[in-house]
C-alpha cells in the first residue's frame, strides 16, 4: 500500500524519480567574469605545472617508486611526512576559516568539480549552442545536425578528459617521458589504468553527474552548515524587498501596484547550475557560484531598480542587525592557523637537509685484528636532501681512540641521492670492553651548520 494512499502499489509503480537534466543559462556579469577567470587560472595551473622544469628535473613530481616528492626547490622524503601532514591540516583549517568567514567560496569558484564542470559547459555551448538551443536539440528527433553537434561535443569532452588523465599521471611520473611512451605505445599497465581512470572520472563527473556530485556525493556539502553562523557570508534573496513577486511592465511603479522588486522572471533559476530557486531560502544544494546575483542584477538594471535583490549578505544583515566579522570562532580558527603556519615555516627553514641512518652489522659482535685492534662493522645510509651534490665529513666518537676505516673522511653524495656506505670503526683492544655507546657525526664541508648525528653501539670483548 502506498503511504497516504488507499491504492495498492502495483508492480510498475516506482518510488524513484530520476533527476531532470539541468540546462544552465549562460550569464554575463562581474561574478561570471570572476568565475571564468578562476577556471582559466586553476585549470591553466593544473595543465601547465607538470611541464615546468627546475634544476634540470620536473619542478613538481610525486615520485612514488623513489619515495620522493619534488616541490620546485624542495625535495620531501618519507622522513618529511610530518610536514605533509601539517600542510594538509593547515589546508583543512583554512577551509574551515574561509567557510566561516565567506561561506562556500571554495565550492563556487575553486572546487575541481565546479571548475571542470564550467569547462565542460563551455564546450557544450560551443557545440550545441545556448540554453534554449540545447533544450530544443535534446527534444528534436535525430538528424544530421543533431548527430554532428552531439558528436563534436563528445569528441571535445573525451579529448579533454584524456588530456586531464594524462596530466594527472604526469604528476607521478615524468610527463615528457610519459608522452614519448604513449606515442611509442609503451605504457605500463598501472600508468594506463590511472590515466584512463582519472580521465573517465572527469568525463563522468563534469560531463554527466555535475550537480549530482555536489548534492549527493560531496561530504563537504553535508557538514559545511556546521561552520555557518548568522554572520557568515551567504548568497540570499532579499524577501522583504522582493515580495510580493509578480510580472509587470517596466513603466509600472511597484509600490503603487503593491508589488515587490522580484518580477518573477525565473532568470535566477535558469542560470543556477544546481537547478534550485534561491528565493526558497538558503539550501545546501547552493554552491554559492553567484550566477543568480549576476542574473538578478541584470534584471534590476533593466527595470531601474537598485541592484542586490539577490546578493552576498548575512542572516543578521537580512534581519537588519549588524554583521560581526570578528567573532570568537574566527579568532580560534585564525590563531590555530597562525600557530600551525608559523610552525611549518620554522620547521622547514630549520630542517637539516641531510639524513643519517646507521645499521650495525649483526653477523658479528666484533672482529679482532692484528696489532691489538678491535673492529665493528656498520652500514651508513646518507641521504642528501638537497637537489645538488654535496661533500660530507664523517667521524665517530664515544670510545677512546675510535676511528673510521674504509672512508677517506669526506664522501660526496649526489643531489637527492642515498649513499649506502660500509664502514669499519676501529680502536685499541684496551679501550673497548663490553657494549659502549658511540655517536656517528656527519658535517657538510661547505657549511658546519649542516650537521647530523646518530647513536649506535660498539661492542668489544667482555671484561
Ligand atoms: S542559488 Fe545562486 S549561488 Fe546558489 S548555486 Fe544557484 S546560482 Fe549559484
Ligand atoms: S532574477 Fe531576480 S527578479 Fe528574476 S525571479 Fe529571480 S529574484 Fe526575481
Amino acid at each position: 500500500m502506498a503511504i497516504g494512499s488507499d491504492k495498492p502499489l502495483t508492480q510498475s509503480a516506482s518510488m524513484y524519480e530520476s533527476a531532470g537534466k539541468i540546462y544552465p543559462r549562460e550569464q554575463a556579469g562581474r561574478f561570471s567574469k570572476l568565475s571564468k577567470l578562476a577556471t582559466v587560472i586553476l585549470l591553466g595551473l593544473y595543465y601547465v605545472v607538470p611541464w615546468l622544469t627546475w634544476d634540470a628535473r620536473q619542478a613538481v613530481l610525486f615520485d612514488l617508486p623513489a619515495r620522493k616528492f619534488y616541490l620546485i626547490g624542495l625535495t620531501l622524503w618519507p622522513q618529511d611526512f610530518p610536514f605533509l601532514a601539517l600542510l594538509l591540516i593547515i589546508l583543512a583549517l583554512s577551509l574551515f576559516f574561509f567557510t566561516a568567514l565567506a561561506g562556500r567560496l571554495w565550492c563556487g569558484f575553486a572546487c575541481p568539480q565546479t571548475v571542470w564542470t564550467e569547462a565542460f559547459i563551455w564546450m557544450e555551448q560551443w557545440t550545441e549552442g545556448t540554453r534554449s538551443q540545447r533544450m530544443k536539440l535534446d527534444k528534436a528527433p535525430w538528424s544530421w545536425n543533431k548527430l554532428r553537434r552531439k558528436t563534436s561535443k563528445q569528441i571535445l569532452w573525451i579529448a579533454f578528459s584524456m588530456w586531464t588523465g594524462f596530466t594527472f599521471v604526469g604528476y607521478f611520473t615524468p610527463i615528457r617521458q610519459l608522452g614519448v611512451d604513449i606515442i611509442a605505445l609503451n605504457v605500463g599497465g598501472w600508468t594506463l589504468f590511472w590515466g584512463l581512470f582519472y580521465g573517465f572520472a572527469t568525463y563522468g563527473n563534469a560531463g554527466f553527474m555535475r550537480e549530482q556530485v555536489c548534492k549527493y556525493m560531496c561530504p563537504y556539502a553535508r557538514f559545511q552548515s556546521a561552520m555557518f553562523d548568522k554572520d557568515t557570508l551567504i548568497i540570499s534573496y532579499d524577501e522583504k524587498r522582493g515580495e510580493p513577486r509578480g510580472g509587470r511592465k517596466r513603466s509600472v511603479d511597484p509600490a503603487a501596484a503593491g508589488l515587490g522588486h522580484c518580477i518573477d522572471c525565473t532568470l535566477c533559476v535558469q542560470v543556477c547550475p544546481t537547478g534550485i530557486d534561491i528565493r526558497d531560502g538558503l539550501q545546501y544544494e547552493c554552491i554559492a557560484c553567484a550566477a543568480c546575483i549576476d542574473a538578478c542584477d541584470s534584471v534590476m538594471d533593466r527595470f531601474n531598480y537598485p541592484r542586490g535583490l539577490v546578493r552576498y549578505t548575512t542572516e543578521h544583515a537580512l534581519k537588519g542587525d549588524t554583521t560581526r566579522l570578528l567573532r570568537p570562532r574566527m579568532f580560534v580558527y585564525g590563531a590555530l592557523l597562525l600557530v600551525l603556519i608559523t610552525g611549518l615555516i620554522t620547521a622547514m627553514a630549520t630542517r637539516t637537509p641531510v639524513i643519517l641512518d646507521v645499521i650495525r652489522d649483526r653477523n658479528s659482535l666484533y672482529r679482532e685484528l692484528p696489532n691489538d685492534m678491535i673492529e665493528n662493522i656498520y652500514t651508513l645510509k646518507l641521504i642528501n636532501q638537497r637537489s645538488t651534490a654535496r661533500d660530507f665529513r664523517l667521524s665517530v666518537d664515544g670510545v677512546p681512540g675510535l676511528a673510521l676505516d674504509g672512508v677517506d673522511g669526506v664522501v660526496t653524495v649526489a643531489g637527492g641521492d642515498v649513499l649506502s656506505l660500509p664502514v669499519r670503526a676501529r680502536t685499541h683492544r684496551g679501550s673497548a670492553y663490553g657494549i659502549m655507546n658511540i655517536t656517528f657525526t656527519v658535517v657538510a664541508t661547505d657549511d658546519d651548520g649542516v650537521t647530523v648525528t646518530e647513536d649506535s653501539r660498539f661492542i668489544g670483548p667482555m671484561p
Side-chain angles (χ1 to χ4, degrees):
M1 186 85 69
I3 298 165
S5 158
D6 51 3
K7 287 185 195 157
L9 272 178
T10 62
Q11 268 199 323
S12 58
S14 168
M15 302 295 282
Y16 175 75
E17 188 186 358
S18 63
K21 186 174 173 185
I22 293 172
Y23 297 84
R25 191 189 183 100
E26 39 296 327
Q27 183 55 46
R30 55 203 165 124
F31 293 112
S32 164
K33 276 190 198 139
L34 198 65
S35 158
K36 285 191 174 86
L37 188 69
T39 301
V40 169
I41 292 175
L42 293 172
L43 284 187
L45 281 175
Y46 174 78
Y47 292 104
V48 168
V49 163
W51 294 96
L52 300 179
T53 301
W54 184 273
D55 268 351
R57 61 158 169 81
Q58 193 166 314
V60 176
L61 180 66
F62 304 109
D63 191 346
L64 295 178
R67 282 174 282 176
K68 281 190 266 184
F69 288 180
Y70 299 104
L71 294 170
I72 311 177
L74 197 69
T75 305
L76 295 176
W77 297 73
Q79 290 83 348
D80 296 319
F81 180 77
F83 294 131
L84 274 183
L86 199 55
L87 186 66
L88 289 178
I89 294 170
I90 288 173
L91 290 177
L93 204 59
S94 304
L95 193 63
F96 294 172
F97 180 78
F98 287 109
T99 302
L101 184 71
R104 296 178 69 174
L105 266 190
W106 162 260
C107 297
F109 295 92
C111 170
Q113 176 64 18
T114 305
V115 167
W116 262 290
T117 300
E118 175 97 0
F120 271 60
I121 290 176
W122 291 347
M123 288 181 252
E124 199 164 64
Q125 287 168 356
W126 297 335
T127 49
E128 294 185 2
T130 60
R131 176 178 192 260
S132 51
Q133 287 170 329
R134 297 201 302 275
M135 290 168 89
K136 223 164 111 188
L137 191 72
D138 277 358
K139 279 193 198 127
W142 280 101
S143 64
W144 168 242
N145 176 49
K146 184 166 177 171
L147 187 68
R148 183 175 57 82
R149 287 178 181 277
K150 293 272 175 200
T151 309
S152 314
K153 180 179 84 174
Q154 290 301 328
I155 289 172
L156 279 181
W157 277 9
I158 291 172
F160 193 66
S161 301
M162 289 303 110
W163 188 256
T164 305
F166 164 71
T167 307
F168 175 76
V169 176
Y171 278 94
F172 297 91
T173 187
I175 197 163
R176 286 181 173 79
Q177 185 57 45
L178 180 65
V180 172
D181 290 348
I182 288 175
I183 291 166
L185 299 179
N186 183 28
V187 188
W190 279 112
T191 305
L192 188 67
F193 169 78
W194 282 112
L196 289 176
F197 178 80
Y198 201 82
F200 278 114
T202 308
Y203 176 76
N205 288 345
F208 297 98
M209 311 263 297
R210 296 191 177 173
E211 78 286 349
Q212 313 281 345
V213 175
C214 309
K215 281 185 184 175
Y216 306 117
M217 290 164 71
C218 176
Y220 175 59
R222 307 276 156 178
F223 70 75
Q224 45 89 25
S225 59
M227 288 171 253
F228 275 42
D229 59 26
K230 289 186 172 12
D231 293 303
T232 299
L233 208 58
I234 51 170
I235 291 176
S236 183
Y237 165 70
D238 188 342
E239 206 175 317
K240 275 195 225 152
R241 199 187 124 187
E243 302 296 322
R245 65 185 79 162
R248 81 285 313 256
K249 287 199 173 126
R250 278 201 287 179
S251 52
V252 171
D253 175 9
L259 289 167
H261 282 181
C262 176
I263 67 163
D264 208 10
C265 62
T266 71
L267 214 57
C268 52
V269 184
Q270 293 174 35
V271 296
C272 179
T274 61
I276 59 168
D277 188 339
I278 190 69
R279 295 172 300 170
D280 294 342
L282 186 62
Q283 295 148 77
Y284 85 90
E285 293 97 334
C286 173
I287 58 166
C289 67
C292 51
I293 299 184
D294 280 339
C296 193
D297 279 350
S298 70
V299 177
M300 296 297 106
D301 289 349
R302 273 211 310 278
F303 278 74
N304 273 328
Y305 299 161
R307 284 182 164 198
L309 177 59
V310 178
R311 62 178 183 274
Y312 274 109
T313 184
T314 65
E315 279 189 59
H316 271 148
L318 276 176
K319 283 187 198 147
D321 299 336
T322 312
T323 297
R324 284 178 316 138
L325 197 63
L326 302 175
R327 37 202 211 277
R329 72 164 66 194
M330 303 311 301
F331 283 113
V332 173
Y333 288 150
L336 273 174
L337 260 181
L338 197 67
V339 168
L340 290 178
I341 291 172
T342 310
L344 182 64
I345 292 173
T346 311
M348 296 292 287
T350 55
R351 182 179 83 130
T352 309
V354 56
I355 296 170
L356 173 65
D357 203 9
V358 178
I359 304 154
R360 192 178 176 284
D361 181 10
R362 294 177 192 277
N363 291 327
S364 65
L365 288 178
Y366 61 89
R367 278 168 56 186
E368 293 185 348
L369 303 174
N371 305 327
D372 264 357
M373 300 293 279
I374 297 285
E375 174 182 271
N376 280 203
I377 297 174
Y378 305 84
T379 300
L380 306 188
K381 285 209 183 292
L382 200 53
I383 302 174
N384 175 14
Q385 293 185 297
R386 231 172 49 161
S387 53
T388 49
R390 203 164 203 178
D391 290 341
F392 297 96
R393 197 176 304 111
L394 307 179
S395 60
V396 64
D397 58 51
V399 173
L402 192 65
L404 290 178
D405 189 55
V407 287
D408 293 338
V410 173
V411 291
T412 304
V413 188
D417 209 356
V418 184
L419 180 71
S420 191
L421 192 68
V423 295
R424 299 183 293 271
R426 290 177 177 174
T427 189
H428 285 283
R429 174 183 263 280
S431 304
Y433 288 103
I435 300 171
M436 306 178 84
N437 291 326
I438 58 170
T439 303
F440 286 86
T441 304
V442 169
V443 186
T445 54
D446 59 342
D447 182 355
D448 284 354
V450 179
T451 303
V452 281
T453 57
E454 178 76 7
D455 292 337
S456 188
R457 287 179 306 165
F458 187 91
I459 300 179
M462 295 312 281

